[in-house]
Amino acid sequence: MPRAPRVLLFLSLLVGLPGLAGAGDDAQRTFAERVAREHGLERDRVQGLLDDAQHRDAIVEAISSPAEALPWHRYRGIFVTEARAQEGARFHARHAETLERVAAEYGVDPVIITAILGIETRYGEHRGEHRVLDALVTLGFGYPPRASFFRDELEEFLVLAEAEGLDPRTVRGSYAGAMGIPQFIASSYRHYAVDGSGDGRRDLLNSVPDAIASVANYLSEHGWQEDTPIAAPARLSAEAESDRFLADGMRLNTTVGALREAGIEPRADYPDEAAALLLELEGDDGTEYWVGRRNFRVITRYNHSPLYALAAVQLADAIEAAAESSR
């Protein structure tokens, strides 16, 4: 697995060690003063929360080796399993009324919502073991490659906690500070979470209806197209020209018609004018090619990895198959 350079990782860990913080303490004081001033929070409370946070080496190590760095066949083996599909079918049946109501409102396929929750937290069963406060302070002040992003998320988290009545010291989530049943980062929670239960609150930590509706709202806000295919495997002719279409797997940089002209045929009845992207992945039996459409791109806005999006697609298919077999 790719890892951060040893020197960089060593230096980033030093920032969080007692007695070695120095500039890090100054940065936290400056941060506390600004956040309190700009958002009308009590400066001493903000500073107290930062002082209470524990810098965790394990968090830096985890973010340096994410699952998304794995080859596709190994990544798929983690999330697209018979057990997770069966659990997803039961979750779908248990929350069918909510899923159908939300699907009608937002136009998002209920099985895709279910699959995303299955990947994120195994349908709410595993919501993360790290305090979100620890994760965001550790990464915001002790992980130089993405410190600015995580300081912004820490700011969002403090404002979110104040608005939603959360105790910042007790909320737990992932090593990257994602929280709740759908694993929203703080900025996503603030901007895309919705009340799916009708109780007047947006409780992603405990409410399954809120989590379901919020995933649907997130995908809808990022351009989900109702009743549109997501992705299909592709066949390549012997003369196929695939290299010029391969980018990062998240940009719609071509059309289905252009792929066909280059000898790349999706195994689906896609119109030539449809915007598309091409994936080249390491499968169990060699190289796999997939053609993704606009909704595939939308899923990568939830998690910035084409592996994640394809796992969601395949888990959704497996959930549907499991539900069908149980009827």
Side-chain angles (χ1 to χ4, degrees):
M1 304 176 196
R3 302 186 67 88
R6 292 181 183 274
V7 172
L8 179 58
L9 180 56
F10 176 72
L11 290 176
S12 68
L13 294 179
L14 284 182
V15 175
L17 295 175
L20 293 174
D25 287 343
D26 291 340
Q28 289 188 25
R29 282 192 291 271
T30 300
F31 174 88
E33 290 171 359
R34 182 186 62 77
V35 169
R37 181 177 65 253
E38 292 183 3
H39 299 285
L41 305 178
E42 295 181 10
R43 189 196 66 80
D44 288 347
R45 172 167 167 74
V46 175
Q47 186 62 60
L49 290 169
L50 299 184
D51 291 342
D52 182 65
Q54 300 294 311
H55 290 261
R56 303 291 188 186
D57 295 358
I59 288 171
V60 176
E61 293 169 0
I63 203 167
S64 300
S65 300
E68 286 73 18
L70 294 170
W72 164 239
H73 62 91
R74 291 184 59 194
Y75 185 90
R76 182 187 189 280
I78 297 172
F79 298 109
V80 187
T81 66
E82 179 63 24
R84 204 172 296 234
Q86 293 290 343
E87 291 165 13
R90 290 192 291 272
F91 178 93
H92 193 284
R94 190 161 57 249
H95 300 286
E97 183 178 349
T98 298
L99 284 161
E100 294 301 328
R101 172 174 53 81
V102 166
E105 180 176 356
Y106 293 98
V108 179
D109 189 341
V111 76
I112 284 292
I113 299 171
T114 302
I116 286 175
L117 295 177
I119 292 173
E120 292 292 345
T121 59
R122 201 129 188 181
Y123 314 102
E125 293 301 313
H126 304 290
R127 306 179 194 185
E129 60 185 22
H130 301 285
R131 286 202 312 173
V132 171
L133 182 64
D134 293 342
L136 295 178
V137 171
T138 295
L139 298 173
F141 297 97
Y143 185 60
R146 299 187 66 196
S148 177
F149 170 82
F150 285 108
R151 283 197 299 272
D152 288 346
E153 285 303 315
L154 175 60
E155 179 176 349
E156 295 273 3
F157 177 60
L158 295 172
V159 175
L160 170 73
E162 185 74 13
E164 302 291 338
L166 306 175
D167 181 353
R169 290 184 170 90
T170 62
V171 178
R172 292 187 174 271
S174 75
Y175 63 78
M179 68 195 93
I181 299 167
Q183 292 290 278
F184 274 24
I185 56 175
S187 58
S188 293
Y189 198 135
R190 288 191 66 205
H191 293 96
Y192 300 110
V194 293
D195 173 16
S197 64
D199 66 356
R201 299 186 61 211
R202 306 185 305 166
D203 182 10
L204 301 188
L205 305 184
N206 303 293
S207 171
V208 171
D210 288 4
I212 289 171
S214 296
V215 171
N217 183 54
Y218 187 98
L219 296 176
S220 176
E221 288 289 326
H222 284 86
W224 186 269
Q225 295 180 335
E226 187 174 5
D227 298 326
T228 302
I230 303 173
R235 295 186 299 266
L236 272 64
S237 68
E239 299 79 24
E241 303 171 10
S242 61
D243 289 352
R244 63 191 174 97
F245 299 106
L246 297 171
D248 57 10
M250 295 188 291
R251 293 187 293 113
L252 297 163
N253 60 355
T254 189
T255 65
V256 172
L259 291 173
R260 286 187 172 124
E261 289 179 2
I264 302 163
E265 183 66 38
R267 297 182 182 181
D269 186 20
Y270 291 169
D272 283 346
E273 65 273 15
L277 56 83
L278 180 66
L279 298 177
E280 181 183 66
L281 303 171
E282 297 178 46
D284 285 321
D285 301 316
T287 303
E288 295 180 13
Y289 291 92
W290 288 77
V291 173
R293 294 183 57 186
R294 187 169 302 279
N295 284 345
F296 187 92
R297 164 62 176 153
V298 172
I299 298 173
T300 67
R301 300 296 300 275
Y302 200 102
N303 179 300
H304 296 280
S305 167
L307 302 186
Y308 178 95
L310 190 54
V313 171
Q314 293 196 3
L315 180 57
D317 289 344
I319 290 169
E320 286 189 319
E324 185 65 30
S325 68
S326 66
R327 292 191 180 106

